[in-house]
Amino acid sequence: MFDQDEDRNRENEGVRWDRGQVLSQMFAEPVWAVRNLVSLLDSECSVPFISRYRREKINEIEPDKLRRMSLANEELKGVVKKATAVLVKLEKEEKLTPEIQAALESAQSMDEIEEIFAPLKSASKKSFAERARQNGLEALVGEIERNVEVVDFAAFAEKFKLDGDIVSHLKALCHELPVLLKCSRAAPKASTADSKKEPSRGDKEHGRGQDSDREAMKFERFFDSTDHVRNLHPHQIMAINRGEALKYLTVKVELSEAIYERYATFVRRKAIRRDATPACREIVETAIKDAYDRLLEPKMARMIRTELKLRGESAAIDSFSRNLKSLLLLPPVGGKVILGIDPGFKHGCKMAVVGRNGDVLDTLVCYLHSGSAEGKRFVRFVDDSECDLIAIGNGTACRETETVVASMLQRRLFRRSDTLAFCIVNESGSSIYSVSELAVRELPEMDANVRSAVSIARRLQNPLAELVKIEPRHLGVGMYQHDLPEKKLEKALNCVAEECVSFVGVDLNVADELLLQRVSGLGPAKAKKILEWRRQKGPFINRQQLRLVKDIGAKTFEQCAGFIKINPETIVPNQGQNTAAEPVEPAQKTAKKPRAKKQKTEAYALDPLDQTHVHPESYDVCRRLIARMKLDVNSVGKRDFIQQVSQYRKEHRLEQLADALETEVAVVRSLFEFLQQRTDFDYRSAFQMPLFRRDIRRAEDLRVGDLLTGQVENVTDFGAFVDCGVSITGLIHTSKMRLAGRQVDLEIGDRVVVKVERVDVGRQRLAVSLSQRCQPVP
């Protein structure tokens, strides 16, 4: 266990709360587990490392939740830093009062700090209270308690605004009692003589012009709507905010009358003495009303809009993260020759054939929709390349290209029509990759337009290795991307990418720079150092040798070691080098001390455990466990070894083994898990393979009640989009996402059977309901 008291004292510095307690309340996890998590994060442990190798210390919190908690912890650290900086600044400017200090030390968000700090900024417009003090009216505010009937109402009202108890009480009332969000269609701009001028760039960006009405109709649901803020779904909040930003909607927060009544009652008890005169009571009542109308009600409205905005953004980022994880963990389709097609009309369909190892074999630009001559050219190209699969990008002309390919397969125009199949691949970001420096280095002589076809083919062959080449935010797996805080979204998505690469694992002697820099504990700089080592000194013999790479210290090694593997088959020496397991440095010391040399030679010999997910820190315990089972460590990953480990696990209690091995139960459980995996085990094998087709159905032929097999393309808060093998993408609304009376959470790549509920060919809409969720084939 960690020294929790010391940790709490450190993090409490400058605030009246600790991150562990706040996070525990936010995510409904035990305080002890969250405080352990905070301590691990503060000691620079990554989420993948904590999730896999420290789960007993965090109550085995699932990785997705752990990632969200890590991001929330970073935000709270920023709040502590900001509050401390503001306190120091105000104290230096002699503006810090006990009330302001208490408020800042209690603030748990940046918005709260800004709300407190804004009136105190040197360059800001002073509040009524400050201006009243400058004009010598501060004494009059205190006179109210002596029943003096002359007082400055504005200054007295400000006193209520700064009262922490009153503000806290009002916030609680807003969360308890009804608060409405009223939306209406924004009035069009009045026509003027300048209206005939060409629309400005800003007007175009905001949808003004010829398409204005059509764009505005996207927000028709909110043209005259009144919703309780608690009943609004995150995607509705994001839609309202976008409509307001584009000036199609006007939005107003309306607090119920009950909130004012209970607020006024609370303030009366606090501010009016029993022996107050009627005139004094009248003054206080006027100040109470003025404080509410002019200061507190607008403040609460801003607070509610901020809370709604954060709720919508948080849900949208979570949706992005879930979808990205599902996309990156799609199983690879290895050992196949794949034809990638980037569809198009005007500029033709760009095509590239990729070999079994990802090498580009041939390319073509074919105007597939221009006539039979181009069709014959395409057929010859497919036959000559002897491809096994066709990957079609899901961009412009996707459905039309899919129809042509399906028709050719049905007419058996290809030499391998009996075995050839196609599937739709997410092409988001391929155009960005095609013009990147990385693409130029990888495919220097190739046209940028054709590079995107290469990317599409490789995405089917090995999704993770190809998709890490593209910034996660460009992969098109969420909604309202441009309405989200860029840094927050980027950080969340980068965490997901690191988690996926780490859990899948990388071969240390084969992985390229982009994969390595996504491994837990590494990064761009350290990934380059590893590649330099490989180029200069040959392949790594075992994990321990990684410690010799410059800048790879004990902490970095701890974080990354369990996620990198040494595959004996890929230990191929560079030209002129050998793979002798001799220590690399320092040579003079090993010459003086033969024993040390022997130890180092042993340290850098092949180790069978380096092919597993067992962390080096547990090698000793693992070897003792294997010896206890009377097995040979050199047989790790083989079928007989796995069967015997599985049988031994069934016959023995983990607690007894943990006591015998002098370790924790969680460590023994993890060791059994890793020892029951083959050395070529792929974390992605538990997910659905892509859905390959040989034909498609026309939307016009669909009837309500028809069953279709499809694969989930995208998931949002309101439903899942499914490629059903029809010219229209189907939508399963959340209300139709149920099986056996239970709500089902779908992910990108899930194979499903859906029932047609409604078809609207004119509007290109297909509504379906979930009928069956297919299980992955082991």
Side-chain angles (χ1 to χ4, degrees):
M1 275 296 172
F2 303 99
D3 191 341
Q4 297 175 357
D5 291 333
E6 182 182 341
D7 186 56
R8 261 175 285 167
N9 289 338
R10 187 178 70 252
E11 68 182 40
N12 282 350
E13 200 171 324
V15 293
R16 300 188 179 191
W17 46 272
D18 72 85
R19 284 176 278 146
Q21 185 71 45
V22 173
L23 290 170
S24 173
Q25 294 171 353
M26 288 171 64
F27 293 94
E29 291 289 344
V31 176
W32 67 267
V34 180
R35 283 185 173 144
N36 283 349
L37 172 61
V38 168
S39 182
L40 284 164
L41 292 171
D42 286 350
S43 62
E44 299 182 351
C45 290
S46 69
V47 169
F49 174 80
I50 296 170
S51 178
R52 177 170 282 179
Y53 300 113
R54 295 292 183 268
R55 28 189 185 187
E56 77 281 359
K57 298 187 182 301
I58 58 167
N59 200 37
E60 301 197 1
I61 300 171
E62 61 169 358
D64 289 344
K65 191 173 188 179
L66 192 59
R67 185 190 332 112
R68 296 197 301 272
M69 294 176 73
S70 173
L71 294 171
N73 177 62
E74 288 299 314
E75 290 184 16
L76 290 177
K77 285 172 71 174
V79 171
V80 174
K81 186 176 180 180
K82 177 73 172 178
T84 304
V86 171
L87 284 168
V88 171
K89 181 178 179 63
L90 292 179
E91 187 173 19
K92 192 177 293 183
E93 295 176 355
E94 298 183 350
K95 294 181 180 178
L96 190 63
T97 65
E99 293 80 9
I100 293 173
Q101 182 174 352
L104 285 170
E105 290 176 350
S106 301
Q108 295 180 14
S109 71
M110 293 293 192
D111 289 322
E112 287 183 69
I113 294 174
E114 188 59 31
E115 185 81 27
I116 298 165
F117 184 45
L120 302 168
K121 291 180 181 178
S122 302
S124 68
K125 182 180 178 182
K126 293 183 173 60
S127 66
F128 281 117
E130 287 183 312
R131 281 179 275 169
R133 291 189 192 99
Q134 284 187 351
N135 293 327
L137 299 176
E138 184 171 12
L140 294 179
V141 180
E143 293 295 323
I144 190 69
E145 296 181 359
R146 296 191 292 275
N147 287 329
V148 176
E149 297 178 10
V150 179
V151 71
D152 181 271
F153 298 126
F156 194 60
E158 287 276 354
K159 187 176 181 180
F160 295 147
K161 178 193 173 186
L162 293 173
D163 191 305
D165 290 341
I166 293 175
V167 174
S168 298
H169 183 72
L170 191 52
K171 284 183 181 179
L173 291 176
C174 289
H175 291 139
E176 176 187 346
L177 299 174
V179 177
L180 303 177
L181 192 73
K182 291 190 172 184
C183 302
S184 59
R185 185 168 187 174
K189 290 181 179 179
S191 59
T192 64
D194 294 332
S195 63
K196 296 181 181 180
K197 293 181 179 179
E198 185 177 340
S200 66
R201 180 180 177 184
D203 290 334
K204 290 178 181 178
E205 289 176 354
H206 288 92
R208 301 297 183 185
Q210 295 179 355
D211 297 329
S212 180
D213 289 340
R214 186 172 59 187
E215 290 294 315
M217 292 309 293
K218 293 180 180 179
F219 306 96
E220 184 181 10
R221 147 76 172 85
F222 306 106
F223 280 173
D224 188 18
S225 66
T226 301
D227 298 279
H228 194 298
V229 294
R230 279 188 294 215
N231 297 335
L232 283 169
H233 296 290
H235 67 273
Q236 293 175 324
I237 296 169
M238 297 301 293
I240 289 171
N241 289 346
R242 176 178 287 184
E244 185 181 33
L246 296 176
K247 305 189 186 310
Y248 293 133
L249 298 175
T250 57
V251 185
K252 180 182 178 183
V253 174
E254 189 174 279
L255 277 59
S256 65
E257 192 63 29
I259 292 177
Y260 172 74
E261 293 298 334
R262 288 179 58 175
Y263 146 81
T265 301
F266 179 82
V267 178
R268 289 188 196 106
R269 291 173 183 164
K270 188 178 181 70
I272 302 179
R273 298 189 327 197
R274 292 183 179 180
D275 58 348
T277 64
C280 177
R281 289 178 180 275
E282 182 180 351
I283 291 171
V284 176
E285 288 288 352
T286 303
I288 290 173
K289 186 73 167 66
D290 178 62
Y292 185 81
D293 292 342
R294 184 170 55 82
L295 302 170
L296 293 171
E297 186 177 25
K299 180 176 181 175
M300 292 301 107
R302 290 193 299 273
M303 177 197 75
I304 290 165
R305 288 300 303 274
T306 298
E307 289 178 353
L308 288 174
K309 180 173 178 284
L310 292 175
R311 196 208 312 172
E313 289 178 350
S314 177
I317 291 174
D318 284 346
S319 178
F320 256 101
S321 300
R322 288 193 303 270
N323 289 342
L324 177 63
K325 183 176 181 179
S326 300
L327 184 65
L328 293 178
L329 293 179
L330 287 174
V333 181
K336 303 287 184 182
V337 177
I338 298 174
L339 167 61
I341 302 179
D342 182 5
F345 292 122
K346 185 177 179 180
H347 300 290
C349 295
K350 283 70 69 179
M351 305 180 187
V353 179
V354 173
R356 291 175 174 81
N357 296 322
D359 300 327
V360 180
L361 304 180
D362 203 355
T363 63
L364 176 72
V365 176
C366 180
Y367 295 84
L368 201 53
H369 311 287
S370 300
S372 58
E374 287 293 289
K376 291 177 181 178
R377 186 167 167 240
F378 172 66
V379 171
R380 285 197 303 272
F381 181 73
V382 172
D383 288 342
D384 293 343
S385 64
E386 297 185 346
C387 60
D388 302 304
L389 298 168
I390 299 175
I392 304 173
N394 65 345
T396 304
C398 166
R399 294 305 180 186
E400 291 79 2
T401 304
E402 181 185 31
T403 301
V404 171
V405 173
S407 174
M408 289 178 172
L409 281 171
Q410 289 175 339
R411 289 183 287 154
R412 304 177 63 81
L413 299 182
F414 303 110
R415 191 184 306 143
R416 306 175 68 181
S417 291
D418 291 336
T419 58
L420 191 61
F422 65 87
C423 74
I424 305 300
V425 174
N426 181 353
E427 68 169 35
S428 298
S430 61
S431 58
I432 295 174
Y433 160 76
S434 66
V435 295
S436 66
E437 291 183 9
L438 174 64
V440 173
R441 289 201 306 269
E442 288 186 332
L443 308 165
E445 304 298 327
M446 189 175 292
D447 182 86
N449 292 319
V450 180
R451 288 183 191 133
S452 61
V454 175
S455 178
I456 289 169
R458 287 175 174 172
R459 288 182 188 201
L460 182 60
Q461 201 169 53
N462 191 342
L464 184 61
E466 187 65 22
L467 293 174
V468 293
K469 299 175 182 178
I470 301 163
E471 284 295 326
R473 57 197 173 91
H474 295 313
L475 291 176
V477 288
M479 300 186 71
Y480 300 104
Q481 172 177 330
H482 301 293
D483 300 333
L484 299 173
E486 187 174 342
K487 288 185 178 179
K488 193 173 180 181
L489 175 63
E490 186 175 357
K491 189 166 189 175
L493 298 185
N494 285 336
C495 285
V496 174
E498 178 184 294
E499 178 186 319
C500 292
V501 172
S502 298
F503 281 179
V504 171
V506 301
D507 185 332
L508 187 57
N509 289 315
V510 174
D512 60 22
E513 182 180 333
L514 288 166
L515 270 177
L516 284 172
Q517 69 184 32
R518 295 286 189 184
V519 173
S520 166
L522 300 180
K526 292 173 183 175
K528 285 182 179 179
K529 298 286 186 183
I530 292 173
L531 291 184
E532 288 174 9
W533 169 278
R534 279 194 340 215
R535 282 193 296 268
Q536 295 174 8
K537 303 184 180 180
F540 290 88
I541 307 302
N542 67 15
R543 285 170 170 167
Q544 294 296 334
Q545 210 171 3
L546 190 62
R547 291 175 177 267
L548 301 179
V549 177
K550 187 178 179 180
D551 295 337
I552 305 289
K555 191 66 182 182
T556 299
F557 182 79
E558 176 195 58
Q559 296 301 300
C560 74
F563 304 111
I564 57 174
K565 292 184 177 183
I566 305 293
N567 182 356
E569 296 178 3
T570 61
I571 302 179
V572 180
N574 298 339
Q575 191 171 3
Q577 294 178 335
N578 61 66
T579 58
E582 293 294 330
V584 177
E585 61 182 23
Q588 67 275 18
K589 289 187 178 180
T590 53
K592 291 180 181 179
K593 299 180 180 180
R595 286 190 179 182
K597 181 176 180 179
K598 183 178 179 181
Q599 290 173 355
K600 287 195 172 187
T601 301
E602 291 176 358
Y604 301 133
L606 287 169
D607 192 326
L609 294 181
D610 286 346
Q611 302 175 62
T612 72
H613 286 299
V614 177
H615 196 283
E617 67 184 7
S618 300
Y619 276 10
D620 178 60
V621 177
C622 186
R623 285 194 170 87
R624 284 189 280 127
L625 175 61
I626 292 172
R628 193 178 185 86
M629 293 187 287
K630 298 180 180 179
L631 297 173
D632 182 2
V633 70
N634 292 308
S635 299
V636 165
K638 297 180 180 178
R639 180 179 296 179
D640 290 343
F641 182 93
I642 292 172
Q643 289 177 347
Q644 292 182 61
V645 170
S646 178
Q647 185 62 35
Y648 192 89
R649 168 69 181 86
K650 294 175 183 177
E651 296 171 353
H652 295 79
R653 293 180 62 235
L654 293 179
E655 293 78 8
Q656 292 178 341
L657 288 172
D659 290 339
L661 296 169
E662 299 179 345
T663 188
E664 297 175 346
V665 173
V667 173
V668 178
R669 185 186 297 114
S670 296
L671 290 177
F672 273 114
E673 176 188 340
F674 300 146
L675 292 176
Q676 291 181 77
Q677 296 171 351
R678 298 190 316 179
T679 52
D680 62 350
F681 169 77
D682 195 323
Y683 181 78
R684 296 167 289 182
S685 60
F687 298 86
Q688 288 280 9
M689 291 290 288
L691 181 60
F692 298 103
R693 303 183 186 279
R694 295 175 48 78
D695 59 9
I696 61 172
R697 294 180 63 176
R698 297 195 316 154
E700 294 83 352
D701 299 333
L702 294 180
R703 297 291 180 267
V704 174
D706 285 356
L707 293 179
L708 304 171
T709 300
Q711 195 154 25
V712 177
E713 287 186 333
N714 204 353
V715 181
T716 68
D717 289 326
F718 56 82
F721 292 95
V722 182
D723 174 12
C724 305
V726 186
S727 56
I728 307 172
T729 300
L731 172 64
I732 311 177
H733 191 269
T734 48
S735 61
K736 302 291 184 180
M737 214 180 290
R738 302 178 69 84
L739 290 175
R742 293 184 177 181
Q743 190 73 18
V744 176
D745 293 327
L746 294 177
E747 297 178 350
I748 289 178
D750 282 350
R751 192 173 298 183
V752 294
V753 177
V754 297
K755 183 171 71 173
V756 176
E757 298 286 339
R758 189 173 64 257
V759 185
D760 188 339
V761 179
R763 300 175 68 190
Q764 290 288 289
R765 293 188 178 181
L766 172 61
V768 295
S769 59
L770 183 62
S771 180
Q772 180 185 343
R773 185 181 188 181
C774 307
Q775 295 299 319
V777 178

